[in-house]
Amino acid sequence: MRPTAMRAELTDGDLIQLSATQPEAFGSVFDRHATTIHRYLSRRVGGTLADDLTAETFLTAFKSRTAYDGSRPDALPWLYGIAANLLRGHRRAETRMYRALARTGVDPALAGHDDEVASQVTASEHVRVLATALARLNAGERDVLTLISQAQLSYPEVAEALGIPLGTVRSRLHSARKRLRAALPHLAFENGTDDE
């Protein structure tokens, strides 16, 4: 079996443990998750800064890989946690991005994709209102909300990613949803409950 095929069968935890003696194995973790992390960061701070933060996320992960719990097969929550920590240093850029999104209605993570941009422009008024509301959330609420809504993490994965208790995740999400509902009464919310 070729090494590439064998690596495809390994979990992220296996690859990270293997990278302690074979550093190039970490490249497979990057290949699996870099696009997802970049998309998450792009929505938060725009494409240019997301390029840098994605690289910094994986550099930080590589440097701290020996501390990773190898029994966790999926490294994505861990990587989201690193990315969220790096974002804390870039809050002003994130707020500017939401304000720009509020003005233009164009999601920076989708810019350049003609079909998707066209559909985003069609819904631009809702996007502007939503972006304005997101810019007004506090950092903790915004972190939890974006990890659940954009990254599609579960509540326990968000707790792990941010290093906070599960109850804090629920509390921040409840508060964020309450504030968004107040700001956007005309938009229907998919899930009226904060329970998972």
Side-chain angles (χ1 to χ4, degrees), residues 101-156:
L101 182 58
R103 284 189 310 275
T104 65
V106 178
D107 185 341
L110 301 177
H113 302 286
D114 295 341
D115 293 337
E116 293 172 10
V117 169
S119 70
Q120 287 292 314
V121 170
T122 304
S124 65
E125 185 53 37
H126 291 306
V127 171
R128 286 182 187 123
V129 174
L130 178 59
T132 300
L134 287 171
R136 291 181 180 150
L137 295 178
N138 71 46
E141 292 169 343
R142 194 165 45 234
D143 283 344
V144 169
L145 183 67
T146 57
L147 286 171
I148 289 173
S149 65
Q150 293 177 4
Q152 300 293 304
L153 294 185
S154 68
Y155 291 27

Side-chain angles (χ1 to χ4, degrees), residues 11-18 61 64-78 160:
T11 68
D12 292 344
D14 296 335
L15 288 167
I16 292 169
Q17 285 183 330
L18 181 62
S64 62
R65 70 192 186 280
T66 56
Y68 183 77
D69 180 358
S71 68
R72 295 176 185 247
D74 184 6
L76 197 54
W78 177 59
E160 177 188 338

Side-chain angles (χ1 to χ4, degrees), residues 34-51:
T35 301
T36 303
I37 294 296
H38 187 272
R39 188 178 308 116
Y40 168 70
L41 290 167
S42 289
R43 286 189 171 124
R44 303 286 302 268
V45 292
T48 303
L49 186 52
D51 293 344

